[in-house]
């Protein structure tokens, strides 16, 4: 069901990606499913051709099972300041750790998300680091009136709880430990 919902949200994701690309900025899109990753990649590739005709603008992608050399090449090319890569599509599982893109772009779209706060934070951490110079705008695509809304609300609740736990005073922590 979640994979079908992810696929159904692609048009909305593409509408936002188009606005970002037409403003001359790079964009990153996260997805959790290989079918949606392939379709987003295909549509972003067509879109970059339309927006930048004849300029050989490209779309990078990071996914599980990808050839290591190809993966490293796309990562390095996307990071270059004068790169012809205008977008990147990243599988949540494959892009969770070991990759960082601070100060590369300011817009990230989460087409579909993992409902684990740590996995979500890992994904977002690819683009926003302590040494980041600019804010990163993150947009979650939520399919209203579906289980997608419920999963997103659960993710938000979990993140709020984790944040509260991290900000407890020593007195509060001791109180909890003692029951």
């Amino acid at each position: 069901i979640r994979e079908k919902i992810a696929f159904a949200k692609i048009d909305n994701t593409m509408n936002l990606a188009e606005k970002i690309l037409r403003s001359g900025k790079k964009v990153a899109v996260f997805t959790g499913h290989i079918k949606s990753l392939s379709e987003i990649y295909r549509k972003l590739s067509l879109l970059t051709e339309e927006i930048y005709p004849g300029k050989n603008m490209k779309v990078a992608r990071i996914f599980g099972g990808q050839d290591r050399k190809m993966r490293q090449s796309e990562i390095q090319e996307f990071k270059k300041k004068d790169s012809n890569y205008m977008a990147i599509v990243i599988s949540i599982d494959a892009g969770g750790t070991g990759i960082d893109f601070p100060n590369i772009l300011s817009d990230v779209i989460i087409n579909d998300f993992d409902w684990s706060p740590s996995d979500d934070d890992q994904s977002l951490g690819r683009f926003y680091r302590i040494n980041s110079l600019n804010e990163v705008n993150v947009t979650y695509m939520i399919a209203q009136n579906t289980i997608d809304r419920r999963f997103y609300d659960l993710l938000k609740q979990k993140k709020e709880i984790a944040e509260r736990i991290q900000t407890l005073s020593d007195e509060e922590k001791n109180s909890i430990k003692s029951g």
Side-chain angles (χ1 to χ4, degrees), residues 66-80:
Q66 184 177 28
D67 176 76
R68 211 172 261 205
K69 285 183 181 180
M70 175 194 246
R71 177 183 171 126
Q72 279 309 112
S73 173
E74 291 210 339
I75 289 169
Q76 293 308 316
E77 287 299 316
F78 188 75
K79 284 182 168 185
K80 289 181 181 176

Side-chain angles (χ1 to χ4, degrees), residues 4-6 8-9 12 111 113 140-152:
K4 288 181 182 199
I5 291 171
K9 295 189 290 185
N12 289 332
N111 183 72
F113 47 89
Y140 288 84
M141 292 298 169
I142 312 297
Q144 299 299 330
N145 303 317
T146 70
I147 195 168
D148 199 44
R149 166 48 71 187
R150 179 73 179 129
F151 277 117
Y152 180 73

Side-chain angles (χ1 to χ4, degrees), residues 30-34 37 62-65 71 90-99 112-114 119 122-123 126:
F30 279 95
T31 184
H33 307 281
I34 195 66
L37 183 138
I62 306 297
F63 57 93
R71 177 183 171 126
I90 304 172
S91 162
I92 293 169
D93 292 339
T97 58
I99 302 171
D112 48 292
F113 47 89
D114 193 296
D119 289 346
Q122 281 289 329
S123 296
R126 303 307 96 215

Side-chain angles (χ1 to χ4, degrees), residues 28 30 88 90 101-102 105 108 124-129 132 136:
F30 279 95
I88 188 167
I90 304 172
F101 299 102
L105 53 74
V108 175
L124 300 180
R126 303 307 96 215
F127 293 94
Y128 187 79
R129 298 279 199 219
S132 292
V136 176

Side-chain angles (χ1 to χ4, degrees), residues 42-53:
R42 185 186 75 76
K43 287 186 172 200
L44 279 172
S45 295
L46 292 171
L47 185 60
T48 55
E49 286 177 26
E50 177 188 320
I51 295 171
Y52 304 101

